[in-house]
PDB file of all heavy atoms in Angstrom:
ATOM      1  N   LEU A1281     -15.498  16.941  43.050  1.00 98.00           N
ATOM      2  CA  LEU A1281     -14.269  17.706  42.879  1.00 98.00           C
ATOM      3  C   LEU A1281     -14.577  19.168  42.636  1.00 98.00           C
ATOM      4  O   LEU A1281     -13.969  20.071  43.274  1.00 98.00           O
ATOM      5  CB  LEU A1281     -13.446  17.136  41.721  1.00 98.00           C
ATOM      6  CG  LEU A1281     -12.206  17.950  41.286  1.00 98.00           C
ATOM      7  CD1 LEU A1281     -11.258  18.174  42.465  1.00 98.00           C
ATOM      8  CD2 LEU A1281     -11.486  17.244  40.143  1.00 98.00           C
ATOM      9  N   CYS A1282     -15.493  19.450  41.756  1.00 98.00           N
ATOM     10  CA  CYS A1282     -15.851  20.864  41.498  1.00 98.00           C
ATOM     11  C   CYS A1282     -16.505  21.500  42.692  1.00 98.00           C
ATOM     12  O   CYS A1282     -16.304  22.712  42.976  1.00 98.00           O
ATOM     13  CB  CYS A1282     -16.754  20.945  40.253  1.00 98.00           C
ATOM     14  SG  CYS A1282     -15.901  20.595  38.704  1.00 98.00           S
ATOM     15  N   ASP A1283     -17.313  20.756  43.428  1.00 98.00           N
ATOM     16  CA  ASP A1283     -17.883  21.284  44.669  1.00 98.00           C
ATOM     17  C   ASP A1283     -16.788  21.691  45.632  1.00 98.00           C
ATOM     18  O   ASP A1283     -16.856  22.739  46.302  1.00 98.00           O
ATOM     19  CB  ASP A1283     -18.810  20.245  45.319  1.00 98.00           C
ATOM     20  CG  ASP A1283     -20.106  20.083  44.600  1.00 98.00           C
ATOM     21  OD1 ASP A1283     -20.461  20.936  43.773  1.00 98.00           O
ATOM     22  OD2 ASP A1283     -20.805  19.067  44.868  1.00 98.00           O
ATOM     23  N   ALA A1284     -15.755  20.858  45.758  1.00 98.00           N
ATOM     24  CA  ALA A1284     -14.641  21.154  46.667  1.00 98.00           C
ATOM     25  C   ALA A1284     -13.865  22.368  46.191  1.00 98.00           C
ATOM     26  O   ALA A1284     -13.433  23.206  47.001  1.00 98.00           O
ATOM     27  CB  ALA A1284     -13.724  19.932  46.769  1.00 98.00           C
ATOM     28  N   LEU A1285     -13.665  22.505  44.883  1.00 98.00           N
ATOM     29  CA  LEU A1285     -12.944  23.646  44.344  1.00 98.00           C
ATOM     30  C   LEU A1285     -13.743  24.932  44.614  1.00 98.00           C
ATOM     31  O   LEU A1285     -13.158  25.979  44.986  1.00 98.00           O
ATOM     32  CB  LEU A1285     -12.725  23.481  42.853  1.00 98.00           C
ATOM     33  CG  LEU A1285     -11.771  22.331  42.466  1.00 98.00           C
ATOM     34  CD1 LEU A1285     -11.869  22.047  40.962  1.00 98.00           C
ATOM     35  CD2 LEU A1285     -10.339  22.679  42.826  1.00 98.00           C
ATOM     36  N   GLY A1286     -15.049  24.856  44.461  1.00 98.00           N
ATOM     37  CA  GLY A1286     -15.894  26.025  44.761  1.00 98.00           C
ATOM     38  C   GLY A1286     -15.851  26.379  46.231  1.00 98.00           C
ATOM     39  O   GLY A1286     -15.829  27.558  46.605  1.00 98.00           O
ATOM     40  N   TRP A1287     -15.837  25.363  47.092  1.00 98.00           N
ATOM     41  CA  TRP A1287     -15.771  25.609  48.546  1.00 98.00           C
ATOM     42  C   TRP A1287     -14.458  26.292  48.891  1.00 98.00           C
ATOM     43  O   TRP A1287     -14.431  27.223  49.734  1.00 98.00           O
ATOM     44  CB  TRP A1287     -15.911  24.301  49.282  1.00 98.00           C
ATOM     45  CG  TRP A1287     -15.847  24.456  50.772  1.00 98.00           C
ATOM     46  CD1 TRP A1287     -16.856  24.728  51.621  1.00 98.00           C
ATOM     47  CD2 TRP A1287     -14.665  24.409  51.585  1.00 98.00           C
ATOM     48  NE1 TRP A1287     -16.390  24.853  52.923  1.00 98.00           N
ATOM     49  CE2 TRP A1287     -15.044  24.656  52.916  1.00 98.00           C
ATOM     50  CE3 TRP A1287     -13.304  24.167  51.310  1.00 98.00           C
ATOM     51  CZ2 TRP A1287     -14.133  24.663  53.975  1.00 98.00           C
ATOM     52  CZ3 TRP A1287     -12.371  24.183  52.360  1.00 98.00           C
ATOM     53  CH2 TRP A1287     -12.813  24.436  53.655  1.00 98.00           C
ATOM     54  N   ILE A1288     -13.357  25.880  48.301  1.00 98.00           N
ATOM     55  CA  ILE A1288     -12.066  26.500  48.562  1.00 98.00           C
ATOM     56  C   ILE A1288     -12.093  27.960  48.165  1.00 98.00           C
ATOM     57  O   ILE A1288     -11.604  28.828  48.890  1.00 98.00           O
ATOM     58  CB  ILE A1288     -10.940  25.747  47.820  1.00 98.00           C
ATOM     59  CG1 ILE A1288     -10.720  24.371  48.455  1.00 98.00           C
ATOM     60  CG2 ILE A1288      -9.655  26.563  47.826  1.00 98.00           C
ATOM     61  CD1 ILE A1288      -9.752  23.480  47.674  1.00 98.00           C
ATOM     62  N   ALA A1289     -12.702  28.272  47.021  1.00 98.00           N
ATOM     63  CA  ALA A1289     -12.759  29.654  46.557  1.00 98.00           C
ATOM     64  C   ALA A1289     -13.558  30.519  47.541  1.00 98.00           C
ATOM     65  O   ALA A1289     -13.169  31.661  47.808  1.00 98.00           O
ATOM     66  CB  ALA A1289     -13.378  29.715  45.163  1.00 98.00           C
ATOM     67  N   ARG A1290     -14.640  29.963  48.081  1.00 97.00           N
ATOM     68  CA  ARG A1290     -15.497  30.756  48.945  1.00 97.00           C
ATOM     69  C   ARG A1290     -14.994  30.822  50.363  1.00 97.00           C
ATOM     70  O   ARG A1290     -15.022  31.887  50.994  1.00 97.00           O
ATOM     71  CB  ARG A1290     -16.927  30.156  48.929  1.00 97.00           C
ATOM     72  CG  ARG A1290     -17.642  30.288  47.597  1.00 97.00           C
ATOM     73  CD  ARG A1290     -19.132  29.874  47.752  1.00 97.00           C
ATOM     74  NE  ARG A1290     -19.215  28.500  48.278  1.00 97.00           N
ATOM     75  CZ  ARG A1290     -19.224  27.414  47.527  1.00 97.00           C
ATOM     76  NH1 ARG A1290     -19.117  27.508  46.219  1.00 97.00           N
ATOM     77  NH2 ARG A1290     -19.351  26.219  48.075  1.00 97.00           N
ATOM     78  N   ARG A1291     -14.576  29.682  50.890  1.00 98.00           N
ATOM     79  CA  ARG A1291     -14.287  29.566  52.339  1.00 98.00           C
ATOM     80  C   ARG A1291     -12.819  29.507  52.657  1.00 98.00           C
ATOM     81  O   ARG A1291     -12.425  29.735  53.815  1.00 98.00           O
ATOM     82  CB  ARG A1291     -14.998  28.342  52.905  1.00 98.00           C
ATOM     83  CG  ARG A1291     -16.501  28.311  52.676  1.00 98.00           C
ATOM     84  CD  ARG A1291     -17.200  29.449  53.418  1.00 98.00           C
ATOM     85  NE  ARG A1291     -17.053  29.300  54.862  1.00 98.00           N
ATOM     86  CZ  ARG A1291     -17.527  30.171  55.766  1.00 98.00           C
ATOM     87  NH1 ARG A1291     -18.173  31.251  55.343  1.00 98.00           N
ATOM     88  NH2 ARG A1291     -17.339  29.977  57.044  1.00 98.00           N
ATOM     89  N   GLY A1292     -11.994  29.154  51.693  1.00 98.00           N
ATOM     90  CA  GLY A1292     -10.590  28.978  51.964  1.00 98.00           C
ATOM     91  C   GLY A1292      -9.905  30.165  52.597  1.00 98.00           C
ATOM     92  O   GLY A1292      -9.152  30.013  53.599  1.00 98.00           O
ATOM     93  N   PRO A1293     -10.109  31.400  52.088  1.00 98.00           N
ATOM     94  CA  PRO A1293      -9.418  32.560  52.698  1.00 98.00           C
ATOM     95  C   PRO A1293      -9.754  32.709  54.190  1.00 98.00           C
ATOM     96  O   PRO A1293      -8.891  33.080  54.996  1.00 98.00           O
ATOM     97  CB  PRO A1293      -9.945  33.745  51.871  1.00 98.00           C
ATOM     98  CG  PRO A1293     -10.262  33.149  50.541  1.00 98.00           C
ATOM     99  CD  PRO A1293     -10.803  31.778  50.832  1.00 98.00           C
ATOM    100  N   ARG A1294     -11.001  32.429  54.576  1.00 97.00           N
ATOM    101  CA  ARG A1294     -11.360  32.603  55.958  1.00 97.00           C
ATOM    102  C   ARG A1294     -10.695  31.515  56.820  1.00 97.00           C
ATOM    103  O   ARG A1294     -10.245  31.797  57.937  1.00 97.00           O
ATOM    104  CB  ARG A1294     -12.867  32.490  56.120  1.00 97.00           C
ATOM    105  CG  ARG A1294     -13.375  32.600  57.559  1.00 97.00           C
ATOM    106  CD  ARG A1294     -14.861  32.669  57.665  1.00 97.00           C
ATOM    107  NE  ARG A1294     -15.364  33.939  57.093  1.00 97.00           N
ATOM    108  CZ  ARG A1294     -16.625  34.316  57.126  1.00 97.00           C
ATOM    109  NH1 ARG A1294     -17.529  33.547  57.712  1.00 97.00           N
ATOM    110  NH2 ARG A1294     -16.993  35.472  56.580  1.00 97.00           N
ATOM    111  N   VAL A1295     -10.607  30.276  56.312  1.00 98.00           N
ATOM    112  CA  VAL A1295      -9.945  29.208  57.064  1.00 98.00           C
ATOM    113  C   VAL A1295      -8.463  29.519  57.245  1.00 98.00           C
ATOM    114  O   VAL A1295      -7.883  29.251  58.305  1.00 98.00           O
ATOM    115  CB  VAL A1295     -10.129  27.865  56.322  1.00 98.00           C
ATOM    116  CG1 VAL A1295      -9.304  26.769  56.983  1.00 98.00           C
ATOM    117  CG2 VAL A1295     -11.603  27.478  56.257  1.00 98.00           C
ATOM    118  N   LEU A1296      -7.829  30.111  56.227  1.00 97.00           N
ATOM    119  CA  LEU A1296      -6.398  30.306  56.260  1.00 97.00           C
ATOM    120  C   LEU A1296      -5.977  31.660  56.856  1.00 97.00           C
ATOM    121  O   LEU A1296      -4.792  31.910  57.004  1.00 97.00           O
ATOM    122  CB  LEU A1296      -5.848  30.224  54.830  1.00 97.00           C
ATOM    123  CG  LEU A1296      -5.964  28.873  54.125  1.00 97.00           C
ATOM    124  CD1 LEU A1296      -5.622  29.009  52.659  1.00 97.00           C
ATOM    125  CD2 LEU A1296      -5.090  27.839  54.807  1.00 97.00           C
ATOM    126  N   ARG A1297      -6.926  32.496  57.201  1.00 96.00           N
ATOM    127  CA  ARG A1297      -6.563  33.825  57.687  1.00 96.00           C
ATOM    128  C   ARG A1297      -5.855  33.745  59.026  1.00 96.00           C
ATOM    129  O   ARG A1297      -6.044  32.802  59.811  1.00 96.00           O
ATOM    130  CB  ARG A1297      -7.787  34.722  57.781  1.00 96.00           C
ATOM    131  CG  ARG A1297      -8.777  34.356  58.862  1.00 96.00           C
ATOM    132  CD  ARG A1297      -9.985  35.254  58.795  1.00 96.00           C
ATOM    133  NE  ARG A1297     -10.980  34.867  59.786  1.00 96.00           N
ATOM    134  CZ  ARG A1297     -12.186  35.451  59.926  1.00 96.00           C
ATOM    135  NH1 ARG A1297     -12.523  36.416  59.067  1.00 96.00           N
ATOM    136  NH2 ARG A1297     -13.042  35.061  60.848  1.00 96.00           N
ATOM    137  N   LYS A1298      -5.074  34.796  59.322  1.00 95.00           N
ATOM    138  CA  LYS A1298      -4.347  34.811  60.570  1.00 95.00           C
ATOM    139  C   LYS A1298      -5.299  35.006  61.747  1.00 95.00           C
ATOM    140  O   LYS A1298      -6.390  35.551  61.606  1.00 95.00           O
ATOM    141  CB  LYS A1298      -3.310  35.923  60.556  1.00 95.00           C
ATOM    142  CG  LYS A1298      -3.889  37.322  60.528  1.00 95.00           C
ATOM    143  CD  LYS A1298      -2.771  38.372  60.464  1.00 95.00           C
ATOM    144  CE  LYS A1298      -3.378  39.790  60.452  1.00 95.00           C
ATOM    145  NZ  LYS A1298      -2.331  40.827  60.311  1.00 95.00           N
ATOM    146  N   ARG A1299      -4.850  34.561  62.943  1.00 93.00           N
ATOM    147  CA  ARG A1299      -5.647  34.728  64.145  1.00 93.00           C
ATOM    148  C   ARG A1299      -4.899  35.662  65.101  1.00 93.00           C
ATOM    149  O   ARG A1299      -3.746  35.422  65.437  1.00 93.00           O
ATOM    150  CB  ARG A1299      -5.869  33.382  64.792  1.00 93.00           C
ATOM    151  CG  ARG A1299      -6.602  33.435  66.146  1.00 93.00           C
ATOM    152  CD  ARG A1299      -6.997  32.055  66.607  1.00 93.00           C
ATOM    153  NE  ARG A1299      -5.882  31.180  66.812  1.00 93.00           N
ATOM    154  CZ  ARG A1299      -5.216  31.048  67.972  1.00 93.00           C
ATOM    155  NH1 ARG A1299      -5.569  31.767  69.019  1.00 93.00           N
ATOM    156  NH2 ARG A1299      -4.201  30.214  68.073  1.00 93.00           N
TER     157      ARG A1299
END
Side-chain angles (χ1 to χ4, degrees):
L1281 172 56
C1282 288
D1283 286 345
L1285 293 167
W1287 180 87
I1288 290 172
R1290 293 188 304 272
R1291 303 294 297 178
R1294 178 173 294 186
V1295 174
L1296 295 170
R1297 69 184 177 184
K1298 67 182 181 183
R1299 176 170 61 90

